[in-house]
Amino acid sequence: MALLITEKCTNCDMCLPECPNNAISVGDNIYEIDPNLCTECVGHYETPTCQKVCPISNCIKTDPDHQESQEMLWEKFVLIHHSDKL
């Protein structure tokens, strides 16, 4: 599952540097998470760091449009970081 930043976002800049996959970027009004790069920190941390550092409760949640199993997240992690080595 990818994560989604909701409209509760205050653009506090806490999540942007925390993403190990560079999946978070500045959007038109709020920060956005690229579902193709978000692994919910699988391969890096036990829990998503963006959620840990976000000061707004329930601002970053599971994206209902991008449901993925733990196995799929691991596969995505490998693809993202393998392509870095090419």
Side-chain angles (χ1 to χ4, degrees):
M1 297 170 271
L3 297 175
L4 171 72
I5 297 175
T6 68
E7 293 192 15
K8 292 180 179 181
C9 178
T10 62
N11 295 314
C12 70
D13 298 323
M14 295 295 292
C15 63
L16 186 65
E18 294 298 322
C19 182
N21 296 326
N22 295 314
I24 300 174
S25 62
V26 178
D28 291 336
N29 298 311
I30 59 173
Y31 282 96
E32 297 176 349
I33 297 177
D34 181 343
N36 296 315
L37 295 175
C38 180
T39 62
E40 292 190 32
C41 290
V42 165
H44 297 281
Y45 308 110
E46 288 187 31
T47 59
T49 57
C50 61
Q51 288 178 324
K52 286 171 98 174
V53 300
C54 183
I56 308 298
S57 179
N58 297 317
C59 182
I60 303 173
K61 62 181 188 173
T62 302
D63 185 344
D65 294 331
H66 296 94
Q67 299 290 319
E68 297 167 294
S69 68
Q70 195 76 4
E71 182 178 303
M72 292 167 76
L73 292 172
W74 271 107
E75 288 175 10
K76 190 190 312 185
F77 165 79
V78 169
L79 288 172
I80 290 168
H81 294 282
H82 176 71
S83 66
D84 288 348
K85 309 291 187 250
L86 298 176

